[in-house]
Amino acid sequence: MKWLSESSSAEPLKSTQRFVMTELDFAQAPPNNARRPAAADRTAEDEPICTIVSNDARIIERCAVIAVGAAVRINKCTDPQLLPADGSGPVLWGSDMAALAENTSRPVDVLVGLEDGEAIVWSLASRIPKARVAVLPSASQWLGEYLGLWAMRAGHGHTLALHSTAGGLGTTTLALLLAHAGTLSGLRSAMIDLDPHSQGAWPLVCTQPPTGIGWEELRQSGGALAAHQLAETLPKLRDTAILTWSQASRTHELEDQLVIRLLAAARQGFDLVVVDAGRAPHPQRLALNQFIDRNIATASSLTVPASGEVVLCGEQKLRSTPSGFPQILGAFPDFPRISKAIERGQLFDSFKSRALRQHLSNLCLIPQMKEQSP
């Protein structure tokens, strides 16, 4: 069974956005050779990394302690010519070697020195105006926050947020389908339920939730969330990770810091993160916007927003021309197969529908794997 190429009625797809599916059996997970390594197998290579260019043991030791606190791995470099040129992470230059930074094209993010050599650090900074300065130990907190903030936003995972302009549009259903479509395309995918009025996503997809943690457990957790731990502990249904509430409630309140830690870890642990943000505007939209790559509105023909990217749910076309300049990505109509699958609590069974796969493909919301040819 294959994903279809775009239909003649669909707008041309950009090569970087095409949703291409290869042969697979929808009743099973994608073949092992079509999937990327599990999060637990790739922590060493994918965790946030910074580099310290120094031979001073005192500077290296202090920076190493700060990096550990910021959940960032630090690499020592004694030869500037060996610095990575791909901008893979911040480059800290110790005051003992920073003079070499003046005559190199390598990045200089932070000049680091100790208080007994503060004058040297500031003298170097005057000749490298774009470099930040950290005089330790007084600037330890600032350097930790700098590395921690960079690490939070360093995740490679593409984060897609769906927010509805009205109730009952099926935003949660679409979020689940997009996340599982990513899984079927060979991506490590997760659906994060951040709807403040969520009724819980499990009744849509299964009668008995798989083993794993939900928001109730995460609210009781403290400290940092490691990406590999999150990827291992979230419940998975047919290889798609789902974070939702175990029980429905009138409203669900989450602290901003928990949402920030969760999304930071999710971006590092997954290739595709689909966020169900519920009815717009979201109370934590400022925190969400730090991590979102694309914000998509789900709307009916009567509730189309004035701007932004929009998916029409339940309707094939607009009844009237909306005011403003929204970008209509396409329609996601009501499919009888979806309704029947939800009644059985087996939403992912609806992927057997050729028409459903075609409509998901035409929305162009799933990032393409680098290994796939356009």
Side-chain angles (χ1 to χ4, degrees):
M1 195 174 292
K2 296 184 179 181
W3 287 101
L4 307 176
S5 59
E6 62 272 24
S7 63
S8 57
S9 59
E11 294 188 11
L13 302 178
K14 298 178 181 179
S15 60
T16 57
Q17 295 179 322
R18 288 195 60 189
F19 185 9
V20 182
M21 176 57 71
T22 55
E23 291 281 357
L24 62 91
D25 180 356
F26 284 100
Q28 302 177 2
N32 291 333
N33 60 4
R35 297 184 56 76
R36 299 185 183 186
D41 299 331
R42 63 188 180 87
T43 53
E45 67 178 52
D46 285 353
E47 65 183 341
I49 299 173
C50 69
T51 303
I52 175 72
V53 184
S54 177
N55 264 321
D56 189 320
R58 297 178 302 162
I59 293 177
I60 294 172
E61 182 179 356
R62 287 186 178 274
C63 288
V65 171
I66 294 171
V68 168
V72 175
R73 184 158 62 93
I74 189 166
N75 288 338
K76 174 186 173 183
C77 178
T78 58
D79 183 355
Q81 298 302 317
L82 300 179
L83 280 173
D86 58 359
S88 56
V91 179
L92 317 180
W93 288 73
S95 57
D96 60 312
M97 295 186 67
L100 299 176
E102 296 182 69
N103 304 314
T104 180
S105 60
R106 302 298 182 179
V108 182
D109 295 300
V110 183
L111 293 175
V112 184
L114 302 179
E115 290 181 345
D116 57 9
E118 182 174 358
I120 298 176
V121 177
W122 287 109
S123 175
L124 290 167
S126 67
R127 302 195 293 272
I128 311 175
K130 292 185 178 181
R132 301 167 179 84
V133 174
V135 178
L136 304 179
S138 58
S140 296
Q141 182 177 350
W142 173 85
L143 184 57
E145 292 175 350
Y146 170 80
L147 294 177
L149 185 60
W150 170 80
M152 281 200 313
R153 297 178 175 140
H156 68 280
H158 181 83
T159 306
L160 175 71
L162 301 181
H163 57 89
S164 60
T165 58
L169 292 175
T171 305
T172 301
T173 299
L174 181 57
L176 287 164
L177 291 173
L178 287 171
H180 193 54
T183 298
L184 296 175
S185 293
L187 303 174
R188 294 181 300 266
S189 303
M191 195 286 280
I192 308 297
D193 182 1
L194 275 174
D195 183 351
H197 302 283
S198 172
Q199 298 300 302
W202 291 124
L204 298 176
V205 290
C206 63
T207 56
Q208 183 63 40
T211 303
I213 62 174
W215 276 120
E216 289 87 355
E217 291 79 13
L218 282 178
R219 280 202 301 187
Q220 304 303 318
S221 67
L225 288 172
H228 68 281
Q229 292 177 335
L230 182 70
E232 290 171 358
T233 56
L234 284 185
K236 295 181 178 63
L237 187 67
R238 304 187 192 182
D239 270 354
T240 297
I242 299 174
L243 175 58
T244 186
W245 298 89
S246 300
Q247 297 179 348
S249 176
R250 179 174 297 180
T251 183
H252 297 294
E253 295 182 1
L254 296 169
E255 295 182 356
D256 285 4
Q257 287 303 313
L258 175 57
V259 172
I260 289 172
R261 295 200 310 270
L262 182 281
L263 291 178
R267 282 180 61 88
Q268 294 173 25
F270 296 94
D271 301 313
L272 173 64
V273 180
V274 182
V275 176
D276 175 12
R279 186 81 173 265
H282 195 280
Q284 294 165 317
R285 57 189 177 277
L286 295 180
L288 288 176
N289 288 339
Q290 297 180 60
F291 303 95
I292 301 303
D293 295 301
R294 294 181 73 180
N295 270 301
I296 307 298
T298 57
S300 68
S301 60
L302 300 178
T303 62
V304 176
S307 61
E309 297 183 291
V310 181
V311 173
L312 295 176
C313 290
E315 303 182 54
Q316 295 289 336
K317 59 183 179 180
L318 291 172
R319 298 177 185 176
S320 59
T321 303
S323 59
F325 301 94
Q327 181 182 354
I328 308 299
L329 301 179
F332 195 75
D334 293 325
F335 289 97
R337 188 181 289 271
I338 290 181
S339 301
K340 293 178 180 178
I342 290 177
E343 290 176 3
R344 300 193 308 270
Q346 299 292 335
L347 175 63
F348 293 163
D349 283 351
S350 60
F351 274 88
K352 297 174 183 177
S353 168
R354 183 185 182 95
L356 179 142
R357 302 196 308 275
Q358 179 67 73
H359 276 83
L360 284 175
S361 175
N362 290 343
L363 293 178
C364 304
L365 291 176
I366 308 298
Q368 186 180 13
M369 287 182 64
K370 293 180 180 179
E371 292 82 358
Q372 288 179 305
S373 57

